Amino acid sequence: MKLKSLIFLGVLQSCIFLNAQVKTVDPAEYVNPLMGTQSLHSLSNGNTYPAICRPWGMNFWTPQTGKMGDGWAYIYTAEKIRGFKQTHQPSPWMNDYGQFSIMPVTGKLAFAEADRASWFSHKAEVSKPYYYSVYLADYDVTTEITATERAAHFQITFPENEQSSIVVDAFDKGSYIKIIPSENKIIGYTTRNSGGVPTNFKNYFILVFDKPFASNSTWNDKGLEKDKLELQDNHAGAVVGFKTKKGEIVNVKVASSFISPEQAELNLKELGNASFNETVAASKNEWNKVLGKITVESNDADQLKTFYSCLYRATCFPQKQYEINAKGETVHYSPYNGNVVPGYMYAGTGFWDTFRALYPLLNLVYPSINKEMQEGLINDYKEGGFLPEWSSPGFRNVMVGNNSASVVSEAYIKGLRGYDINTLYEALVHGANNEGPLEAVGRKGVSYYNTLGYVPYDVKINENAARTLEYAYDDFAIWKLAKALNRPKKEISLFEKRMMNYKNLYNPSIGWMSGRNKDGSFPANFNPLKWGDAFTEGNALHYSWSVFHDVQGLIDLMGGQKKFTDKLDAVFTTPPVFDDSYYGSVIHEIREMQIMNMGQYAHGNQPIQHMIYLYNYAGQPWKTQYWSREVINRLYKPTPDGYCGDEDNGQTSAWYIFSAMGFYPVCPATDEYVLGAPLFKKLTLNLENGKQLIINASKNSETNKYVNDLKWNNASYSKNYINHFDVLKGGELNFDMSAEPNLQRGTSKDAFPYSYSNSK
């Protein structure tokens, strides 16, 4: 009860929502890990699960309501919990790897997941990033969890019972378990995965109990193996029993390793001799440190909860895949070659999603973490021969593009140093000129792209227009890095030429980007509202804006500023009609667009998320200000249905964080952020270099959503963008907010953000 009282007191201290502005001194208390968990295969409200973890931790833990192997591990509307699972799952669509679970039961022994499942209620559930508690009604048991990066501490409160048990489930597809009664210990491994691993993949685990076992058995799908303390099977598990008094607490400390059982023992030392409450406090402190890099002052409780819940999601993935060996060295098991090798490794992200805003957020707020990630990418390349575009934990064959180019180039362009950028550049050039071992690695259709200037519509390469548009931006990113590294002029000019390939897909007959046949013709009767086909999880109205690096060039293609802004407007005014014939059914991304009442604007998926900010390039910045606030207010809530589509490893959350600050990285591989309008009256960005960027908007309100004037360090500022390196110097941005748009500010070309066509 003492811990729950402390948590309640913390909530009171940080959530005194009066008319006065509240400064977030305890940001972890605003996080709702259940935001986005009310999701289904047919409709995503985030597709998240409550992760009990440390920021970017190697292992997460979550209550498991779904069946073993179901990507939807925790659904808010579920009625029963089957176990508490160690998870590395970045998305239900990617599913999990290296998972196993723990479940307390009482009375008649139940170990199969359906039999052991217990009713629970959200009214008897506490979910924090650093602490989770739930009452398991069928067993009169309360389970509490807290975690370090690679270990976790369970505190399980039992009733008076002759047979209180803890079930360990190593899952199917090949597992091993051993009970060591003399040491109050269980060890084992799980091999369950969803791909992206070598044949020798194992996640080794260890559990240490603070109470001797009164009984113990192993089990498999056939039943209990009462005389066996050790079992290797397709599906192995263990169960240990105790006689407990009412309110008796059994502590279980657990850790795992991708390297070895011995390394799992080392990882368990992260818990040390700390009590459960001490580990809770340490985890909360770590989350407050990370979340406190951005402090907000507001009297709107829901906005604060949404902001910090999003920042929590943006600091979960990718996960650390490296471990610290007995010599104190950083090592990792390679999901590319199966060896244990020195250095950093991160996994669990798809660059198609996260290059847009998540990695820019890391570069701005957490650059030292992204430096580790860049070093991890070097190891990805050395061990796998290519950079991953989706890692879970190794190469996965999903999505399109070669967006590692953006992730690598942006980090260097925005000032990260101290790692082998030349090897990373080599990796980019290799990936840009070759197809990989999987369609989603390297560049599918690269020979067509490099000769014709596009991936053709009629050569049986799916999502060809999306590939072309993303390859063109990726070539821009490589061009920027090549120039920064003083590469040969011929090499630089090659990527400079290729980055203009986006122009080859503009179909003047329909006024949008479209697929293009090998002979140069455009397909007859091409439907701009058809999802998929030439595009990835979207249609022409979504993907036509994917010219991040040359918006002015796109404006010219579309016939000038007025026609360009008319088309932007049309995205919101066109009814959400669609053609789903490519998929043969209504995929969840289509349904999410349809029900949001914003026309064709499909914020629940990534390709269009920057579109709102493009009004700044065409002299109508007030429309960016209006629509960014509309999306913030209408499509994000700190509730189980709080997202408008897949959260996607921090990307959809990072959009909110940037937009709430009042700017957004439309073109990540530049040093500019495009301005919108801040959400809060005051926000402070505490930079790693010790500087502070203070964003003031004292007149901000529900009605005052437009920027009348802007001052940078008390000097008038007329641009529609701010520079990354100016932000790093610290200072104050003072927004004068108004209920009416200022139709004069930001309308001249010298105010517009970077476009390649305007830079020559």
Side-chain angles (χ1 to χ4, degrees):
M1 292 301 294
K2 181 180 178 183
L3 178 60
K4 292 182 179 178
S5 298
L6 287 172
I7 291 174
F8 180 69
L9 181 61
V11 173
L12 283 180
Q13 289 173 338
S14 58
C15 302
I16 304 173
F17 300 120
L18 306 176
N19 289 330
Q21 299 298 299
V22 178
K23 186 175 182 179
T24 48
V25 295
D26 205 7
E29 291 303 334
Y30 292 93
V31 175
N32 180 14
L34 301 181
M35 179 177 171
T37 60
Q38 189 174 314
S39 298
L40 300 168
H41 185 279
S42 57
L43 183 70
S44 174
N45 289 307
N47 265 333
T48 62
Y49 55 84
I52 306 106
C53 59
R54 294 288 177 95
W56 304 287
M58 187 176 91
N59 300 324
F60 296 174
W61 286 87
T62 189
Q64 180 191 354
T65 65
K67 294 180 181 180
M68 177 175 60
D70 188 345
W72 282 261
Y74 179 99
I75 296 177
Y76 187 81
T77 53
E79 298 166 333
K80 293 184 177 183
I81 286 175
R82 298 166 180 263
F84 301 93
K85 183 173 77 161
Q86 188 190 91
T87 179
H88 309 94
Q89 178 174 294
S91 159
W93 309 107
M94 304 303 291
N95 215 304
D96 210 346
Y97 61 94
Q99 64 266 52
F100 63 97
S101 72
I102 300 168
M103 182 66 178
V105 299
T106 58
K108 182 180 178 181
L109 182 58
F111 54 88
E113 62 172 359
D115 297 335
R116 71 185 185 231
S118 171
W119 282 80
F120 80 108
S121 168
H122 300 298
K123 298 178 182 67
E125 180 185 42
V126 177
S127 183
K128 304 285 181 183
Y130 59 87
Y131 170 80
Y132 179 85
S133 173
V134 70
Y135 178 68
L136 300 174
D138 287 308
Y139 303 121
D140 191 22
V141 165
T142 296
T143 299
E144 299 170 275
I145 312 171
T146 190
T148 63
E149 288 187 343
R150 299 168 187 85
H153 190 153
F154 281 69
Q155 184 169 268
I156 302 170
T157 304
F158 285 101
E160 183 174 354
N161 202 282
E162 293 292 320
Q163 182 65 44
S164 294
S165 304
I166 295 176
V167 178
V168 181
D169 189 340
F171 283 30
D172 62 357
K173 309 298 184 184
S175 49
Y176 165 82
I177 207 149
K178 181 179 181 181
I179 304 170
I180 309 174
S182 61
E183 300 180 45
N184 302 337
K185 184 185 293 185
I186 297 175
I187 61 172
Y189 64 73
T190 176
T191 65
R192 200 177 217 289
N193 65 84
S194 304
V197 297
T199 55
N200 69 344
F201 170 80
K202 291 182 176 69
N203 187 29
Y204 301 92
F205 56 79
I206 176 172
L207 298 90
V208 177
F209 301 74
D210 70 345
K211 185 176 176 67
F213 308 150
S215 62
N216 45 71
S217 300
T218 55
W219 59 270
N220 57 24
D221 287 335
K222 296 177 182 178
L224 285 176
E225 297 279 356
K226 291 186 177 181
D227 298 326
K228 289 187 177 180
L229 295 179
E230 185 173 12
L231 181 65
Q232 184 176 6
D233 210 319
N234 175 64
H235 185 185
V239 56
V240 292
F242 319 91
K243 180 178 179 180
T244 57
K245 300 175 183 177
K246 182 176 176 60
E248 184 171 352
I249 293 173
V250 175
N251 289 277
V252 187
K253 293 184 176 181
V254 54
S256 71
S257 168
F258 296 115
I259 294 173
S260 67
E262 295 77 16
Q263 184 64 46
E265 290 250 20
L266 282 174
N267 292 344
L268 191 66
K269 292 182 178 180
E270 289 185 350
L271 293 167
N273 295 317
S275 69
F276 182 84
N277 288 1
E278 287 171 338
T279 302
V280 170
S283 184
K284 180 179 178 180
N285 182 63
E286 183 65 22
W287 274 110
N288 275 336
K289 179 181 175 182
V290 168
L291 299 174
K293 291 294 184 181
I294 308 177
T295 57
V296 177
E297 297 181 26
S298 175
N299 61 357
D300 189 315
D302 281 350
Q303 286 181 349
L304 287 170
K305 291 176 183 177
T306 304
F307 184 88
Y308 283 108
S309 296
C310 284
L311 191 54
Y312 153 74
R313 288 292 170 192
T315 50
C316 282
F317 288 97
Q319 292 176 295
K320 295 176 180 178
Q321 293 280 301
Y322 64 84
E323 306 175 49
I324 310 301
N325 68 15
K327 297 179 181 179
E329 300 164 331
T330 299
V331 294
H332 64 270
Y333 167 82
S334 173
Y336 302 99
N337 61 26
N339 297 323
V340 177
V341 286
Y344 293 110
M345 177 71 64
Y346 281 78
T349 191
F351 294 152
W352 183 86
D353 305 287
T354 55
F355 86 85
R356 304 165 196 270
L358 188 277
Y359 277 89
L361 186 70
L362 295 176
N363 281 318
L364 178 61
V365 187
Y366 310 103
S368 60
I369 285 291
N370 197 24
K371 180 177 177 289
E372 280 192 9
M373 293 176 184
Q374 298 299 313
E375 293 186 63
L377 287 174
I378 294 168
N379 292 325
D380 291 342
Y381 173 59
K382 288 180 176 178
E383 295 158 27
F386 284 83
L387 292 176
E389 302 300 332
W390 234 116
S391 60
S392 184
F395 296 134
R396 296 294 295 276
N397 201 27
V398 64
M399 308 312 293
V400 303
N402 180 216
N403 299 306
S404 55
S406 182
V407 171
V408 168
S409 298
E410 185 208 356
Y412 192 81
I413 287 161
K414 287 182 175 168
L416 265 63
R417 296 294 186 273
Y419 56 97
D420 185 0
I421 188 61
N422 290 305
T423 293
L424 281 177
Y425 178 80
E426 174 189 304
L428 297 191
V429 173
H430 178 68
N433 289 318
N434 292 279
E435 295 193 352
L438 304 172
E439 286 190 9
V441 179
R443 292 189 179 182
K444 180 67 175 176
V446 67
S447 60
Y448 292 113
Y449 177 83
N450 287 352
T451 54
L452 297 176
Y454 58 94
V455 181
Y457 181 75
D458 57 349
V459 295
K460 297 184 179 179
I461 297 177
N462 66 318
E463 302 169 15
N464 38 82
R467 294 179 192 275
T468 299
L469 293 169
E470 294 193 23
Y471 294 167
Y473 164 69
D474 298 331
D475 283 336
F476 166 80
I478 299 172
W479 172 71
K480 289 282 287 185
L481 183 58
K483 290 203 301 177
L485 297 177
N486 295 312
R487 300 294 301 179
K489 288 183 178 180
K490 183 178 180 181
E491 195 172 295
I492 293 171
S493 64
L494 174 65
F495 290 105
E496 185 175 23
K497 178 183 178 183
R498 286 183 188 171
M499 72 186 185
M500 305 310 287
N501 282 344
Y502 74 88
K503 293 184 176 183
N504 297 327
L505 292 192
Y506 185 73
N507 185 340
S509 66
I510 61 171
W512 300 100
M513 298 290 180
S514 82
R516 189 170 188 175
N517 293 325
K518 185 179 178 182
D519 64 5
S521 64
F522 288 104
N525 303 315
F526 189 88
N527 182 3
L529 299 179
K530 184 177 183 179
W531 280 64
D533 195 20
F535 301 106
T536 302
E537 297 176 0
N539 61 33
L541 275 66
H542 306 142
Y543 247 100
S544 291
W545 314 107
S546 294
V547 187
F548 313 95
H549 57 294
D550 193 21
V551 179
Q552 183 58 53
L554 183 60
I555 291 171
D556 295 340
L557 284 177
M558 289 184 170
Q561 289 184 10
K562 185 178 186 307
K563 289 185 178 180
F564 179 79
T565 53
D566 285 348
K567 283 184 175 292
L568 288 171
D569 293 343
V571 171
F572 297 106
T573 59
T574 303
V577 295
F578 55 84
D579 175 353
D580 65 354
S581 59
Y582 175 76
Y583 298 107
S585 63
V586 180
I587 61 172
H588 74 95
E589 290 91 350
I590 295 176
R591 189 69 73 208
E592 290 143 18
M593 177 197 74
Q594 183 191 36
I595 65 177
M596 292 304 162
N597 193 26
M598 295 185 78
Q600 289 285 324
Y601 183 70
H603 189 80
N605 211 21
Q606 282 66 44
I608 204 169
Q609 287 180 351
H610 69 293
M611 186 215 88
I612 285 171
Y613 287 86
L614 300 188
Y615 287 106
N616 282 284
Y617 296 75
Q620 295 184 358
W622 58 89
K623 290 184 178 177
T624 291
Q625 296 153 24
Y626 172 82
W627 283 114
S628 62
R629 183 69 63 88
E630 287 294 294
V631 171
I632 281 174
N633 287 343
R634 290 163 59 178
L635 303 187
Y636 290 81
K637 305 290 180 186
T639 56
D641 63 345
Y643 290 102
C644 57
D646 286 349
E647 194 282 324
D648 280 328
N649 307 112
Q651 166 56 32
T652 300
S653 292
W655 185 97
Y656 186 96
I657 299 301
F658 270 119
S659 296
M661 289 195 288
F663 50 86
Y664 186 79
V666 169
C667 186
T670 65
D671 58 3
E672 291 182 2
Y673 303 103
V674 180
L675 289 170
L679 176 62
F680 300 103
K681 292 180 184 291
K682 185 175 182 180
L683 181 149
T684 302
L685 179 57
N686 301 296
L687 298 161
E688 274 193 3
N689 62 9
K691 305 288 187 181
Q692 286 187 327
L693 175 69
I694 299 172
I695 300 169
N696 291 311
S698 60
K699 296 180 185 177
N700 221 340
S701 69
E702 188 174 339
T703 54
N704 289 356
K705 64 184 72 172
Y706 296 103
V707 178
N708 180 56
D709 192 23
L710 176 61
K711 287 186 169 58
W712 176 266
N713 291 334
N714 294 319
S716 183
Y717 190 82
S718 61
K719 308 295 186 186
N720 291 345
Y721 62 91
I722 54 175
N723 182 273
H724 172 77
F725 293 101
D726 288 339
V727 169
L728 293 187
K729 296 174 185 175
E732 289 195 24
L733 279 171
N734 289 289
F735 289 84
D736 177 31
M737 305 299 291
S738 170
E740 298 296 329
N742 182 341
L743 303 184
Q744 305 305 315
R745 188 190 175 281
T747 58
S748 61
K749 282 200 170 185
D750 62 358
F752 296 173
Y754 173 89
S755 284
Y756 171 79
S757 292
N758 288 338
S759 67
K760 293 178 289 183

